[in-house]
């Protein structure tokens, strides 16, 4: 086992964990504040990626710039979805919420498939895409590094905003006690709207980054939804620091398997889901 | 006539009529539409398959277990029969009951392990299970299970062509008819299972477990046993469906056998038709299979969008499905006619 | 605390810890057959936790529970029910989409193993009769008044043919006239040979019904005896007075979080 290889895998894993954390934190916001199990969360991520791609291909917009467009676009999408559908199932049984968001996810995913087809798309021809550093024997891509940095900054900012800002405090109040919060005058529905739109925005930003790092297909939405859920579940609800840790664990596992196990690339997905499955089962046994 | 016997007849008669209708349908189609009947028959068969998917998912949902692993049992059934066919272990049709049995074992295993999981956690665990299973099958030795390219499956029906009495298309028809009858048989079996869970003491037990497992336990219901029973009943049909479908299509491939769309169909249909009923999933299947053809023709690759929209609109406007909506209207009419509300005095 | 050989229900050194918090600690008491036994105490005393431990919703950290001489603390809920321990819940949860009759049928058919349809019907009818629900037996369980719901809860539990029936704050939310009917019902059930263990906050009801009273505080045994005896006990009085403003902090182990719909 080449130690350089392992170290490379670790570094790649750490860098990838930022993105996972970003997407998961958005989902945690939706589940924690609103109480909605959003099965379509990963689709916001996917839409962010494909908007970036399309902007690049049609108008030559650099992905970095498209952040300025994608972020508000996804915020708007989240808000619209909330107003038109989500807010009506908040009081409904969990089954209904799951199914509603599942349906929304199916619609979004297949719309994307219809528009862009099932093949991977890639943004090629951007100079900084191939820029990297070499430290020791380890290579680190500039894009990966920057994505990681942006993700951490965003997650950190969210954490701070939730604890310090007025809206953040409102969200936490609403998360803990909806009735009490509304009695005190907080407009609960508005808080929910912002939280949901924000979760979409965060996922969308992640999407911008994945468009540059990899070659996404419209089906990555579902995969990321599952991954985000798993991380949130692993971390425990309301635990942002836990999400960072869980993202790290999962990303490292994937990276190590992909690098060290022969044929690991195809297996890494299965490994991920196996970890989730085992983690869920193990957890359920513990709380007896 | 005691109420129990009356209930049994009330169920049995429509089912018998349905069975008779199914029996005569192929010949009727052939005399009506001639050559076109080949594709019509195929269409109806798809509808029957969808009904089996829907009914079996509904049975499991009655215990509150919202499974996203339906595709796992479907795919497992498909592969069992494919592998048995390749190994030439016995007659081809043996693969079907074997597929059912294997699916049940698989379901019991999954069920036991996920007993303490609820709601979204259960759903995700079952979905993760399906993904792992698909990857695992892909990794199996190619000589055994075909790897990621899949493998061929021998057809069940090879009608002989007699140029004196038949036209060419009649071979295809006879083949389709064979599968149609198999699907019909499986559907009748599944209807039987569904009715059993509705008419026997399983109904209060399942509903109790679904409503609140702890309260159910205090009432004396054995929640684990009920949940596992539901899993077994549900997977039996799906496994066999997967197997029959594999023969019908002639091949199995991991992406197809374990496709998420199977699970999607399995859950959208009963929700649209009406959960926790027997008529609901069948009705839903009929309508959706019909719509699907139209959708497929007009939207081609994007027809799943239609399914998604149906799901979304159902949840928003028809959360109790068609059957629930009809019942609600009937109930309100009755109440209006009676003129009084149900506010009784103290008992 | 001497053990009573004739006790139908005996609890010895029962304890339940959640992390560092002891919701129930070293609790011992016994219940005699045919008596009406009340458990009272200030908020957070651990009463509902005790009931949960008895009915199997929680597994004790320590201690033993004997039902008719048999150890049951490690048995799952349904087995305890089969052995004769019934329970009516505080927050009533009727099974939806089923009639009143069907709801009671669950208890009748499954409360004891090996009940066939005919016997189940008999028990269902009997339970409905006892709780005065026969008239609305065909009504949907989703459209009941509070008193009707409570009757249903008791009927369901009765249908399981219990030796000991546990009631959790049955009187909560009832108007005086309704409460009187509920008290009559409880007396009636006892007359038929069922032992009653109940948690209650409404003191007049405890005074009227209870043969013996157990007072809990902070998860521990505080006092036991007749109603007059315990209410005269200075320790009991202090426990109640000192808890006027319920300074127990945010975690209330007495509150059954599982019943919380959210």
């Amino acid at each position: 086992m080449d130690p350089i290889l392992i170290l490379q895998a670790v570094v790649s894993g750490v860098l990838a964990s930022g993105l996972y954390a970003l997407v998961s934190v958005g989902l945690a916001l939706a589940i924690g504040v609103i109480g909605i199990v959003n099965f379509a969360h990963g689709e916001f991520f996917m839409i962010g990626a494909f908007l970036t791609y399309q902007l690049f291909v049609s108008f030559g917009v650099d992905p970095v710039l498209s952040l300025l467009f994608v972020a508000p676009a996804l915020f708007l999408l989240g808000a619209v979805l909330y107003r038109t559908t989500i807010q009506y199932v908040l009081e409904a049984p969990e089954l209904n919420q799951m199914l509603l968001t599942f349906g929304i996810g199916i619609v979004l995913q297949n719309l994307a498939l219809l528009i862009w087809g099932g093949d991977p798309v890639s943004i090629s021809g951007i100079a900084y895409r191939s820029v990297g550093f070499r430290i020791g024997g380890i290579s680190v891509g500039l894009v990966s590094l920057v994505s990681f940095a942006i993700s951490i900054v965003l997650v950190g900012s969210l954490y701070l905003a939730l604890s310090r800002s007025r809206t953040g405090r409102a969200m936490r109040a609403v998360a803990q006690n909806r009735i009490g919060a509304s009695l005190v005058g907080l407009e609960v529905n508005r808080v929910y709207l912002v939280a949901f739109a924000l979760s979409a925005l965060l996922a969308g930003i992640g999407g911008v980054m994945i468009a540059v790092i990899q070659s996404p297909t419209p089906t990555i939405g579902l995969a990321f939804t599952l991954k985000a859920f798993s991380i949130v579940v692993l971390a425990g609800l309301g635990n942002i620091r836990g999400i960072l840790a869980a993202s790290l664990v999962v990303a490292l596992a994937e990276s190590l398997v992909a690098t060290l196990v022969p044929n690991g690339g195809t297996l890494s997905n299965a490994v991920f889901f196996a970890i989730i499955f085992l983690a869920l089962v193990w957890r359920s046994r513990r709380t007896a | 006539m005691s109420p129990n016997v009356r209930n049994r007849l009330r169920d049995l008669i429509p089912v018998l009529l349905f069975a008779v209708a199914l029996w005569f349908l192929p010949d009727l189609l052939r005399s009506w539409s001639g050559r076109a009947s080949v594709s019509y028959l195929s269409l109806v068969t798809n509808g029957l398959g969808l009904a089996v998917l829907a009914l079996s998912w509904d049975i499991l949902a009655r215990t509150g277990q919202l499974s996203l692993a339906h595709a796992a049992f479907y795919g497992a059934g498909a592969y069992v029969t494919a592998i048995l066919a390749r190994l030439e272990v016995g007659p081809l049709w043996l693969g079907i009951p074997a597929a059912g049995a294997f699916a049940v074992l698989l379901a019991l295993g999954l069920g036991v392990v996920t007993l303490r999981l609820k709601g979204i956690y259960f759903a995700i665990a079952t979905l993760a299970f399906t993904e792992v299973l698909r990857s695992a099958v892909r990794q199996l030795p190619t000589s055994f299970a075909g790897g990621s390219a899949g493998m061929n499956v021998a057809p069940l029906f090879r009608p002989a062509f007699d140029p004196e009495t038949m036209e060419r298309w009649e071979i295809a028809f006879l083949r389709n008819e064979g599968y149609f009858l198999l699907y019909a048989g499986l559907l009748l079996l599944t209807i039987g299972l569904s009715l059993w869970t509705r008419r026997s003491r399983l109904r209060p037990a399942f509903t109790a477990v679904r409503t609140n497992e702890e309260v159910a336990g205090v009432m004396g219901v054995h929640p684990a046993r009920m949940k596992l029973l539901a899993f077994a009943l549900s997977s039996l049909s799906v496994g066999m469906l997967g197997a029959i479908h594999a023969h019908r299509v002639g091949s199995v491939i991991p992406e197809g056998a374990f496709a998420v769309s199977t699970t999607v169909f399995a859950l959208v249909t009963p929700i649209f038709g009406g959960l926790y009923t027997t008529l609901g999933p069948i009705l839903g299947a009929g309508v959706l299979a019909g719509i699907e053809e139209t959708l497929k023709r007009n939207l081609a690759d994007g027809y799943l969008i239609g399914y998604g929209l149906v799901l979304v609109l159902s949840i928003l406007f028809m959360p109790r499905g068609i059957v629930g909506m009809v019942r609600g209207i009937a109930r309100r009419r009755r109440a209006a006619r009676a003129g009084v509300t149900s506010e009784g005095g103290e008992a | 605390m001497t053990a009573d050989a004739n006790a139908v229900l005996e609890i010895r050194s029962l304890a339940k810890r959640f992390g560092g918090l002891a919701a129930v600690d070293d609790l011992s008491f016994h219940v005699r057959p045919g008596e009406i036994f009340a458990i009272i105490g200030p908020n957070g005393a651990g009463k509902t936790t005790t009931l949960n431990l008895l009915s199997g919703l929680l597994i004790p950290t320590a201690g033993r529970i004997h039902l008719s001489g048999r150890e049951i603390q490690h048995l799952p809920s349904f087995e305890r029910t089969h052995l004769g321990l019934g329970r009516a819940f505080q927050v009533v949860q009727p099974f939806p989409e089923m009639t009143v009759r069907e709801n009671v049928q669950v208890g009748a058919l499954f409360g004891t193993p090996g009940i066939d349809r005919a016997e189940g019907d008999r028990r269902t009818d009997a339970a409905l009769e006892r709780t005065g629900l026969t008239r609305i037996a065909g009504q949907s369980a989703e459209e009941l008044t509070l008193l009707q719901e409570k009757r249903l809860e008791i009927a369901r539990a009765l249908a399981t043919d219990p030796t000991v029936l546990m009631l959790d704050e049955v009187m909560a939310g009832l108007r005086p006239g309704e409460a009187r009917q509920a008290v009559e019902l409880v007396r009636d059930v006892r007359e038929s040979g069922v032992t009653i263990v109940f948690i209650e906050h409404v003191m007049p009801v405890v005074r009227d019904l209870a043969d013996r009273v157990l007072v809990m505080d902070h998860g521990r045994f505080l006092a036991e005896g007749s109603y007059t005896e315990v209410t005269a006990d200075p320790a009991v009085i202090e426990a109640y007075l000192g808890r006027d403003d319920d300074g127990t902090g945010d975690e209330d182990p007495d509150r059954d979080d599982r019943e919380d719909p959210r």
Side-chain angles (χ1 to χ4, degrees), chain A residues 136-148:
Chain A
I138 316 282
S139 46
V140 171
L142 173 67
V143 175
S144 304
L145 197 58
V146 170
S147 302
F148 178 73

Side-chain angles (χ1 to χ4, degrees), chain B residues 141-340:
Chain B
T142 316
S143 54
F144 184 63
S148 48
M151 55 188 198
N152 289 326
V153 183
L156 284 172
F157 303 105
R158 287 179 212 265
F161 178 58
D162 181 358
E164 317 243 318
T165 54
M166 299 195 311
E167 300 182 34
R168 287 226 144 238
W169 59 265
E170 292 199 61
I171 304 183
F173 179 85
L174 284 174
R175 202 167 30 236
N176 281 0
E177 184 181 23
Y179 289 113
F180 170 83
L181 289 174
L182 271 182
Y183 271 66
L186 183 59
L187 177 58
L188 289 171
L189 170 68
T190 314
I191 291 178
L193 291 176
S194 178
L195 284 175
W196 181 44
T197 60
R198 254 179 86 65
R199 293 299 178 210
S200 71
R201 63 175 60 198
L202 287 182
R203 174 158 183 254
F206 280 12
T207 310
V209 170
R210 177 173 84 240
T211 307
N212 189 323
E213 249 181 74
E214 287 172 342
V215 174
V218 169
M219 290 298 119
V221 176
H222 190 328
R225 190 182 292 173
M226 291 301 141
K227 286 163 85 169
L228 289 177
L229 179 62
F231 242 122
L233 292 176
S234 167
S235 60
L236 177 66
S237 296
V238 193
M240 292 204 281
L241 183 70
I244 302 176
H245 184 80
H247 285 288
R248 182 176 169 221
V249 164
S251 66
V252 287
I253 183 174
E255 267 60 43
F258 296 99
V260 170
S261 53
T262 306
T263 301
V264 171
F265 296 155
L267 66 92
V268 172
T269 313
I271 289 160
F272 174 65
L275 272 178
Y276 318 136
T277 65
T278 302
L279 182 59
I282 300 178
L283 208 57
V287 173
L288 285 178
I291 297 181
E292 181 178 330
E293 262 315 294
T294 331
L295 281 178
K296 259 198 200 141
R297 240 169 266 178
N298 294 338
L299 290 178
D301 282 325
Y303 77 98
L304 272 179
I305 299 178
Y307 266 90
L309 282 175
V310 168
L311 185 52
V312 170
L313 294 172
S314 293
I315 297 289
L316 287 177
F317 301 113
M318 247 186 8
R320 288 198 156 174
I322 300 179
V323 172
M325 195 174 65
V326 169
R327 282 205 187 138
I329 295 177
R331 200 185 309 152
R332 259 170 289 165
R333 281 234 190 93
R334 252 184 287 138
R337 224 177 289 143
V340 292

Side-chain angles (χ1 to χ4, degrees), chain A residues 116-195:
Chain A
W116 287 290
D119 292 320
V121 301
S122 70
I123 298 181
S124 48
I126 302 189
Y128 56 77
R129 229 184 147 211
S130 36
V131 172
F133 314 100
R134 254 196 119 74
I135 310 174
I138 316 282
S139 46
V140 171
L142 173 67
V143 175
S144 304
L145 197 58
V146 170
S147 302
F148 178 73
I150 296 179
S151 303
I152 298 299
V153 164
L154 281 173
V155 172
S157 316
L158 183 71
Y159 183 67
L160 283 175
L162 279 178
S163 22
R164 307 279 169 78
S165 84
R166 238 175 38 161
T167 321
R169 273 196 297 244
M171 284 191 194
R172 276 160 60 221
V174 158
Q176 284 179 13
N177 188 340
R178 188 194 305 184
I179 301 176
S182 63
L183 283 178
V184 180
L186 281 175
E187 209 190 300
V188 173
N189 218 24
R190 162 105 44 95
V191 175
Y192 285 174
L193 178 75
V194 170

Side-chain angles (χ1 to χ4, degrees), chain A residues 34-35 178, chain C residues 16 59 262:
Chain A
I34 311 174
R178 188 194 305 184
Chain C
K16 180 62 182 175
I59 303 291
R262 206 12 157 170

Side-chain angles (χ1 to χ4, degrees), chain C residues 50-122:
Chain C
T50 304
L51 230 57
N52 285 340
L53 286 165
L54 291 177
S55 59
L57 268 53
L58 290 173
I59 303 291
T61 320
R64 288 210 284 259
I65 304 171
H66 295 258
L67 178 67
S68 303
R70 198 165 148 173
E71 266 194 50
I72 62 167
Q73 70 271 3
H74 285 306
L75 293 181
S77 301
F78 68 91
E79 278 191 49
R80 303 186 196 201
T81 305
H82 291 172
L83 289 173
L85 188 60
R87 176 174 179 176
F89 285 86
Q90 180 181 6
V91 178
V92 182
Q93 294 210 25
F95 301 130
E97 299 152 35
M98 291 205 285
T99 63
V100 166
R101 183 163 216 289
E102 286 166 341
N103 262 267
V104 178
Q105 233 178 2
V106 179
L109 284 172
F110 294 96
T112 317
I115 303 289
D116 66 16
R117 218 35 191 285
E119 176 64 24
D121 285 339
R122 248 197 306 273

